[in-house]
Amino acid sequence: MKTVLFATSEARPLIKTGGLADVSGALPAALRELGIDCRLLLPGYHAVLAALDNAQEVARFTGLPGLVDSRLLLGAMPDSGVPVYVIDAPAYYLRAGGPYHDAGGVDYTDNAERFGLLSRIAAILCTAESPLEWRPDLLHCNDWQTGLAPAWLHFAGHPVPSVMTIHNLAFQGIFPPALVARLGLPPESFQIDGVEYFGSLSFLKAGLFYADRITTVSPSYAEEIRQEPLGMGLQGLLTTRADQLTGIINGIDTADWNPAGDPHIGSAYSSRALTGKRRCKEALQTDLSLEISPLAPLFGVVSRLTSQKGLDWIIQVAPGIIDRGGQLAILGTGDKAIESALRELVAAYPGRISATIGYDEGLSHRIEAGADIFLMPSRFEPCGLNQMYSLRYGTVPIVHATGGLKDTVEDEVTGFVFHDASAHGLWLAIEQALALHADKGAWKRLMQAGMSRDFSWERSAREYLNLYEDTLAKRQA
Ligand code: ADP
C-alpha cells in the first residue's frame, strides 16, 4: 500500500463550500506524513487554477463519450505541498458562480457532465489506460461528485479497489436516465444492482453500490444512516452493505485551534495553566457588552442557525439559563426567523445575552476560549467540529446523543450528553452542568479531561490507512 488517489470536488484552502473541503485539505497531507503517496484530483475552477498558476500539463483526455476534451495539470497544494492533479476543462469549470450552482443558487444544468468528467478521469488514472506513470493502489472517492468512479472501475475490470466516503448524504447527484447512455455507461448498469435509483441515475448510489468500502465521518452516524430518516432514501443499500460501512471521525486543525498559541485570543492558556482562560472570559464579556462577571456560567454557541443545529431548543432554554445566573453568547447566521428570535432575546436580556449575526472566524475562536460551556444540541450531526474545538479549549460541551457528537463527548467525563431530543432534554443537561460548575475541583477535572483528548488528523489518517490496507488485503485474498 503506497499510493492513493483522493478524488474530490473541493479542498481547502483552494475551494470550500463545506466540511468535505476541510477533510480534502487535511487528510491527504496527514496520510503523506504516514508515508503514503496520496495525491488529490480536483476540477479546475477559477480559484484552483489561480492558486496553482505554475501547474504543468501532464496529460490530455479526448473523445470521452458525452464529455468535453480536457487537460490534466499537476501542481502542489499551497500550504501542504500535496501533489494535486487538476482537470482543466474551461467549458465545465470556469463559471461565475460556485462549484455546483450559479450565483443565484440554481444548479448548473450540466452537473452530470461536469462531475461525470471528474469521476471518469479518477477511474482512468487507476487503469492501464492511464496516461500517467504514477498509478494509485487505491482510489478514495468523496460524495456524489465522484460517485461514478467506482462504477467505471467495476466496468474496467476492477484494477484497484475504491473507498467511497459520505460527507453529506443530503446531496445525491440524481439525473435523468438518458444520462446513462450519454455518458457511455453500459446499459446493464441501469438497474437496482447498479446506478439506477427510483428510475433515475444516482451518482452517489453508484458509488455506494460499486465501491469496495464505504465510510462516513463518525461511527454513530454510520449506524444512523442505515435507518430512516437519516438514511435519506439510501438506508436499504447502506444496511445491505453494513459490513463494508465504517465510521471514522474527522480530525481538527490542531495548529489553528490551539489555546496555547491562538492569534485570535488575547491570553494563551493550556490545561496546566488555565489563568489565561479567565482573562479570555472577561475579554469576551467586555467585547460582547455582557456584564463582567467571573462567576456567571457563560454559555457559548457558534453555529449555522438552522433547525438541524437545535437553535429552537436553545432559544427555549435561554430564559432558564438567565434565571440561574448564566449568560449566553451566540454567533451564527442562517434562518431569518431564528435570527429575529435571537434579536428579541437580546432585547429582553441586555447584558446577559449577546447574539452576533454574521460569520466571524475571530469571534468564533474568542467564544470557544471565553465561554465555560458550549451548547451543541444538533438534531443530527454527521461529525461536527465545534464540540471538538470546545474540548480542546476547556469549554465543556453539552451535546445531543447523535452522530459525531455522541462519539467525541463522554457524558460526565468530558462533557454532557443528552438523549431526549427536545428542549426539555437539553435543559436537564444544562441543570446537570450547572450543578457541577458550582464544584470548582470537579469542573476543572472535566475541563482537563476534555483538553487531553486527541482529535488530530494523524489519528484519523491512521484509521483510514488501516482501512485502505484491509481493503487491499481483502481484494488480494
Ligand atoms: P456544519 O459543517 O454542519 O456547519 P460543523 O460543526 O461541522 O458544522 O462545522 C462548522 C464550522 O463552521 C466550524 O468550524 C464553526 O466554527 C464554523 N462556523 C459556523 N458558523 C460560524 C459563524 N457564524 N462564524 C464563524 N464560524 C462559524
Side-chain angles (χ1 to χ4, degrees):
M1 174 81 228
K2 291 190 187 71
T3 51
V4 172
L5 182 64
F6 194 92
T8 180
S9 57
E10 44 184 282
R12 221 175 90 110
L14 302 184
I15 178 93
K16 168 165 174 172
T17 72
L20 167 60
D22 293 311
V23 178
S24 306
L27 177 57
L31 285 163
R32 292 183 73 82
E33 292 284 317
L34 298 180
I36 298 298
D37 180 3
C38 181
R39 304 186 180 191
L40 282 155
L41 175 69
L42 264 179
Y45 315 111
H46 268 300
V48 172
L49 295 178
L52 305 176
D53 52 357
N54 51 10
Q56 300 292 318
E57 180 179 320
V58 289
R60 285 185 180 221
F61 294 96
T62 55
L64 294 173
L67 303 169
V68 299
D69 293 346
S70 60
R71 301 191 307 147
L72 191 69
L73 314 178
L74 175 61
M77 290 298 274
D79 49 353
S80 62
V82 171
V84 50
Y85 292 105
V86 176
I87 303 170
D88 183 28
Y92 282 173
Y93 303 132
L94 294 185
R95 303 262 163 108
Y100 316 120
H101 45 68
D102 65 22
V106 178
D107 280 354
Y108 298 122
T109 52
D110 57 352
N111 274 346
E113 287 87 354
R114 296 174 74 239
F115 297 106
L117 182 66
L118 175 63
S119 296
R120 189 73 205 263
I121 291 181
I124 290 172
L125 296 181
C126 300
T127 66
E129 270 175 66
S130 171
L132 304 181
E133 252 172 57
W134 184 83
R135 207 60 67 72
D137 296 325
L138 180 142
L139 174 63
H140 191 153
C141 298
N142 295 278
D143 278 354
W144 75 264
Q145 293 86 353
T146 52
L148 283 191
W152 283 118
L153 280 184
H154 171 81
F155 295 115
H158 201 216
V160 302
S162 57
V163 173
M164 179 84 222
T165 296
I166 302 165
H167 304 265
N168 194 336
L169 202 49
F171 299 104
Q172 303 185 352
I174 294 177
F175 300 101
L179 262 308
V180 174
R182 205 178 309 156
L183 293 174
L185 284 161
E188 67 271 20
S189 69
F190 194 66
Q191 52 158 319
I192 187 155
D193 285 336
V195 303
E196 187 260 354
Y197 180 70
F198 291 106
S200 295
L201 162 66
S202 164
F203 274 44
L204 182 62
K205 193 226 157 172
L208 298 179
F209 182 79
Y210 288 108
D212 294 79
R213 298 288 287 267
I214 302 168
T215 76
T216 188
V217 290
S218 69
S220 289
Y221 191 63
E223 274 180 36
E224 291 161 358
I225 58 178
R226 290 194 245 147
Q227 290 122 42
E228 292 266 33
L230 296 185
M232 299 203 169
L234 290 165
Q235 58 276 357
L237 175 56
L238 291 167
T239 301
T240 310
R241 300 216 57 196
D243 289 347
Q244 292 100 38
L245 169 60
T246 311
I248 299 177
I249 285 279
N250 289 336
I252 59 171
D253 186 330
T254 48
D256 205 20
W257 291 92
N258 174 16
D262 182 339
H264 297 290
I265 65 176
S267 309
Y269 63 93
S270 66
S271 80
R272 269 188 251 133
L274 283 165
T275 320
K277 185 160 175 66
R278 288 199 281 279
R279 288 201 210 104
C280 288
K281 178 172 178 178
E282 188 180 327
L284 184 66
Q285 287 171 326
T286 309
D287 198 19
L288 298 177
S289 305
L290 295 169
E291 290 164 14
I292 309 293
S293 163
L295 292 181
L298 174 49
F299 290 75
V301 177
V302 179
S303 181
R304 288 186 289 116
L305 305 179
T306 64
S307 93
Q308 182 208 330
K309 300 289 179 176
L311 261 291
D312 48 332
W313 297 339
I314 292 175
I315 290 165
Q316 286 177 63
V317 300
I321 289 175
I322 306 309
D323 271 357
R324 299 286 299 267
Q327 298 182 339
L328 188 54
I330 302 175
L331 167 65
T333 52
D335 288 1
K336 298 298 159 213
I338 298 176
E339 291 183 0
S340 66
L342 292 178
R343 289 199 183 93
E344 282 170 29
L345 269 182
V346 174
Y349 300 99
R352 308 293 295 279
I353 298 184
S354 145
T356 309
I357 307 300
Y359 194 94
D360 184 338
E361 199 153 322
L363 182 57
S364 74
H365 284 245
R366 289 190 291 278
I367 290 179
E368 287 291 3
D372 297 297
I373 298 164
F374 195 88
L375 298 179
M376 199 155 169
S378 307
R379 286 184 162 80
F380 69 93
E381 193 64 77
C383 176
L385 293 171
N386 272 302
Q387 82 281 10
M388 292 191 266
Y389 301 154
S390 300
L391 290 167
R392 200 159 151 78
Y393 277 64
T395 303
V396 177
I398 298 183
V399 303
H400 177 216
T402 185
L405 298 177
K406 186 171 156 187
D407 294 338
T408 51
V409 181
E410 288 165 75
D411 192 31
E412 295 186 71
V413 178
T414 60
F416 299 90
V417 184
F418 66 94
H419 290 262
D420 171 8
S422 69
H424 180 66
L426 170 60
W427 176 249
L428 294 181
I430 288 173
E431 285 202 312
Q432 210 187 343
L434 287 172
L436 214 73
H437 186 252
D439 178 343
K440 274 195 169 167
W443 193 257
K444 193 170 169 191
R445 279 195 293 282
L446 204 60
M447 288 168 68
Q448 288 174 328
M451 292 177 91
S452 71
R453 293 297 186 266
D454 176 9
F455 295 114
S456 65
W457 268 108
E458 186 193 334
R459 204 192 61 149
S460 304
R462 282 190 197 284
E463 287 191 52
Y464 278 103
L465 183 52
N466 287 341
L467 178 109
Y468 294 162
E469 280 172 345
D470 190 52
T471 308
L472 217 57
K474 291 229 166 75
R475 184 175 173 274
Q476 282 160 353

